[in-house]
Amino acid sequence: MKASCDAYLFGQVLGTHSFLLRDGFLKPDEYSEIAEKYFLPGGETGTAATVLDSLGASVRMDGTWIGRQVAPMLKSFYEGRRVDLSSMNFVEDDDGVMDYVVIAGLVRSPMGRFQTLFASGKRWWSIPQEEDIASCKVAAIDPFFKDESLLAADLCARHHIPYVTIDSRHDSPLHRGAAINIVSKECTGTDYAGMDAQDIMRLMQQEGGGLTIITQGGGNMLYARKGEEVHRMRPFQVQVKSTLGAGDTFKAGCVYALLHGMSDEETVRFASACSAIAISRFPLPLNPPKLDEVMGLLGRGQI
């Protein structure tokens, strides 16, 4: 039997090459100066694991197969942290999944080969193990890995483990079984194009029994459960240095809140504070929000 952990995370774990530009975003045929560049853990799950560790939670993560270029960085970064990599699949015949992100304040542009990878018809991620889920207190499941994401949700149901998911449609099993579903502006703009956030929330409420949170970038967040009125909350206002990892940090905040039995309002405020601190600094993996910083922001209301 594996040692217990606070949170089990299943999903995207990448090597992220990030480039912070000095004088605004890229313009065609014009030179841009790189102010800072890094190669660090990324992906929805990788970033959430980093933040949860910083908040004081122990994590076991699995998901993306880790290739030979990403593996040394990942192992070195998490050495001595409360992030267990023992369930991950390290492969020697592939460089590993990486992305490249150009950033300038509120604007960023990610690049990668995810469409090619998903179109290959090959599985490049792990199958979640029952022992990993049975030995955690809460979980988080990215929806991108098809049957394996659904299997993770089924295992959570079997062992009564509440889980957080992201960008899961109202008619998906992941949404129906989730304790918390965080739906981003990117998701609503793609899957519910032209629909008002209030109408999207009604669909979510009809199908799911957990808490749904709709984030809207700098706009008001909506949150509600089935049969409840829809609540709104303004995100914390901060000076933005980079938005890279903002949503992943919000997810980590929700996982932490679920772990500690916070109310719905407390959950949204806590996750929003985590995200606000994250976007005020760069690079996030080297400067993740700490619990005392989050609690300080919650007390002050601004930074």
Side-chain angles (χ1 to χ4, degrees):
M1 182 72 176
K2 287 190 176 180
S4 63
C5 64
D6 291 325
Y8 168 79
L9 311 184
F10 181 76
Q12 293 274 23
V13 184
L14 318 173
T16 292
H17 298 266
S18 58
F19 304 86
L20 182 67
L21 302 184
R22 179 174 294 171
D23 301 310
F25 200 66
L26 297 169
K27 297 179 182 177
D29 300 322
E30 290 190 17
Y31 173 78
S32 294
E33 183 77 7
I34 298 172
E36 301 177 54
K37 65 175 183 177
Y38 298 92
F39 180 47
L40 292 165
E44 289 85 351
T45 285
T47 302
T50 301
V51 173
L52 282 165
D53 168 72
S54 181
L55 293 174
S58 60
V59 176
R60 179 174 296 118
M61 67 178 179
D62 198 5
T64 315
W65 289 352
I66 307 301
R68 57 178 175 262
Q69 283 195 30
V70 179
M73 176 274 293
L74 202 72
K75 291 177 179 179
S76 174
F77 182 87
Y78 288 117
E79 185 176 2
R81 300 176 191 252
R82 288 163 292 210
V83 179
D84 181 0
L85 307 180
S86 63
S87 296
M88 303 200 72
N89 187 8
F90 292 86
V91 296
E92 291 297 327
D93 59 346
D94 188 85
D95 288 340
V97 182
M98 292 175 278
D99 64 357
Y100 304 80
V101 188
V102 181
I103 306 152
L106 288 168
V107 184
R108 72 178 188 266
S109 183
M111 299 172 286
R113 301 184 68 250
F114 295 99
Q115 292 178 358
T116 301
L117 284 167
F118 279 114
S120 69
K122 298 179 180 178
R123 179 169 55 83
W124 40 277
W125 56 84
S126 299
I127 298 173
Q129 300 301 302
E130 186 167 6
E131 185 180 17
D132 287 338
I133 291 174
S135 59
C136 76
K137 298 174 184 175
V138 299
I141 305 169
D142 291 350
F144 315 117
F145 292 156
K146 304 176 183 179
D147 290 343
E148 284 68 40
S149 293
L150 295 178
L151 174 59
D154 288 343
L155 291 171
C156 283
R158 185 181 304 171
H159 291 279
H160 307 289
I161 304 297
Y163 69 85
V164 176
T165 191
I166 57 172
D167 291 346
S168 293
R169 286 180 51 89
H170 68 282
D171 52 0
S172 70
L174 277 171
H175 171 67
R176 294 190 188 105
I180 304 174
N181 182 15
I182 308 155
V183 185
S184 69
K185 185 177 181 180
E186 180 181 2
C187 176
T188 56
T190 301
D191 288 352
Y192 301 94
M195 287 185 63
D196 181 82
Q198 189 88 15
D199 294 330
I200 298 170
M201 178 61 83
R202 289 193 190 97
L203 289 176
M204 294 288 176
Q205 289 177 284
Q206 290 169 7
E207 297 290 342
L211 174 64
T212 297
I213 307 169
I214 298 179
T215 61
Q216 303 188 92
N220 286 347
M221 299 169 286
L222 280 65
Y223 65 98
R225 293 178 181 268
K226 189 171 188 175
E228 292 184 351
E229 66 175 293
V230 178
H231 306 279
R232 295 177 181 268
M233 186 180 294
R234 184 170 178 258
F236 290 90
Q237 301 300 300
V238 298
Q239 185 172 352
V240 178
K241 188 167 186 180
S242 165
T243 59
L244 181 62
D248 309 332
T249 302
F250 192 97
K251 179 179 83 169
C254 287
V255 172
Y256 186 90
L258 185 62
L259 180 65
H260 290 274
M262 295 186 192
S263 70
D264 292 351
E265 180 181 359
E266 290 170 336
T267 294
V268 179
R269 289 193 77 240
F270 184 86
S272 181
C274 290
S275 186
I277 292 170
I279 65 177
S280 69
R281 52 187 61 167
F282 178 84
L284 173 58
L286 298 182
N287 302 279
K290 296 180 174 60
L291 185 59
D292 61 345
E293 294 177 316
V294 177
M295 300 310 292
L297 175 55
L298 288 170
R300 295 190 302 272
Q302 60 182 4
I303 57 174

